[in-house]
Amino acid sequence: MLILTRKVNERVIIGDEIEVSIVEIRGDQVKLGIAAPRTVKVFRHEVYVAIQEENRLAADSTPSAPLPSIPRLVPQKNTEPDS
Amino acid sequence: MNMTMQEIEIESKPFGTITVPEQQIINFPLGLYGFEPYHEYALIDSRQPPFYWLQSVTECHIAFVVINPYLIWPDYVLDIPEGDLIRIEQPLSDDLLVFSIVTIPDDEARISCNLQGPLIMNRHRRLGVQSISMDTRWKTKHFIMDAMNTQG
């Protein structure tokens, strides 16, 4: 892993299109500014972890028995069919 | 019967061995978060609409219950990185398939949907990706029963 030391307002360039700047340092918190193309996903690591965990929970929870019925969500006979 | 329609046989968690038309097989080139090695899924009717199953074609025990989130949260907004739409080769449109993964705990009153990590699919190219909502209102657990009660 590349480890760089930076001061406030200094930047790091990743590839041709991604720029990370140190906006503010306060105590143990660092505020980063990230400029990247719209096509690049930038999220907090916790978000990935939360989605991974929820996926695992969902996969483990799927019953092989009938799924619960939610009467108000079950399409009624007279409603329009799905397009 | 259309002779050109290919069917494949898969082992499914809910129904055992079933045959699925090839049109219902969706390729997730990146897999799902936490399930990265598994790329091929069959989208199959659950027999309990409006739920569907997203069943791994290669691993019987990997199966997800999914639902169209707009049925429960009509105000749901798909705010996702453009890169995910490019990945499935489809711009935002009414034609885009959007599903939420459902978590079903023992207490069925606490069934929840993951609105933070929606599944988006291009039904024509049969490509899918699990995206991440950039709108932080949408979390990994939204309770279906709460939404039903709120809507009266």
Side-chain angles (χ1 to χ4, degrees):
Chain A
M1 184 190 289
L2 172 68
I3 297 173
L4 300 171
T5 303
R6 302 275 66 196
K7 294 177 181 163
V8 172
N9 293 328
E10 291 184 338
R11 300 175 188 197
V12 173
I13 308 289
I14 302 171
D16 293 328
E17 296 180 298
I18 301 169
E19 194 174 280
V20 180
S21 47
I22 312 302
V23 175
E24 187 186 294
I25 301 171
R26 190 186 291 171
D28 62 354
Q29 285 202 319
V30 179
K31 197 177 276 183
L32 301 176
I34 298 159
R38 288 274 303 161
T39 51
V40 174
K41 287 201 233 188
V42 180
F43 290 100
R44 290 178 173 84
H45 181 251
E46 303 92 279
V47 171
Y48 284 92
V49 172
I51 291 173
Q52 271 182 6
E53 282 176 0
E54 196 60 33
N55 281 352
R56 291 206 189 95
L57 212 54
D60 291 344
S61 78
T62 51
S64 43
L67 300 176
S69 168
I70 301 173
R72 290 160 69 190
L73 275 181
V74 175
Q76 300 302 304
K77 281 201 173 107
N78 292 332
T79 56
E80 291 176 52
D82 282 345
S83 56
Chain B
M1 192 172 182
N2 183 350
M3 298 300 284
T4 60
M5 191 167 84
Q6 299 288 317
E7 294 210 326
I8 65 156
E9 193 172 89
I10 62 172
E11 294 297 320
S12 75
K13 182 172 175 179
F15 310 124
T17 306
I18 53 170
T19 54
V20 179
E22 207 177 24
Q23 290 94 313
Q24 287 171 233
I25 309 294
I26 312 280
N27 180 29
F28 287 76
L30 303 179
L32 271 53
Y33 290 111
F35 295 85
E36 285 78 4
Y38 307 100
H39 298 175
E40 298 282 330
Y41 287 88
L43 187 62
I44 48 185
D45 285 334
S46 71
R47 300 177 189 168
Q48 274 101 359
F51 295 111
Y52 289 83
W53 284 93
L54 191 70
Q55 168 70 54
S56 161
V57 168
T58 50
E59 275 299 328
C60 171
H61 68 278
I62 298 177
F64 299 90
V65 176
V66 299
I67 195 169
N68 172 351
Y70 297 102
L71 293 176
I72 306 167
W73 292 276
D75 61 335
Y76 183 56
V77 179
L78 195 66
D79 183 8
I80 56 173
E82 203 177 309
D84 285 339
L85 295 165
I86 292 168
R87 190 160 276 132
I88 62 165
E89 302 170 20
Q90 184 166 13
L92 267 185
S93 69
D94 291 346
D95 206 29
L96 189 72
L97 286 180
V98 181
F99 285 101
S100 245
I101 297 179
V102 182
T103 303
I104 305 173
D106 291 338
D107 176 5
E108 290 185 354
R110 294 180 60 79
I111 299 175
S112 62
C113 288
N114 180 352
L115 299 183
Q116 194 171 18
L119 303 174
I120 56 168
M121 304 176 207
N122 176 339
R123 69 181 92 200
H124 308 292
R125 300 276 289 117
R126 296 193 277 117
L127 278 172
V129 72
Q130 183 167 29
S131 193
I132 298 182
S133 176
M134 296 190 290
D135 183 338
T136 52
R137 270 184 304 163
W138 310 114
K139 312 291 186 192
T140 55
K141 268 189 207 300
H142 289 257
F143 297 105
I144 293 181
M145 295 308 171
D146 286 357
M148 299 275 90
N149 293 336
T150 309
Q151 284 156 24

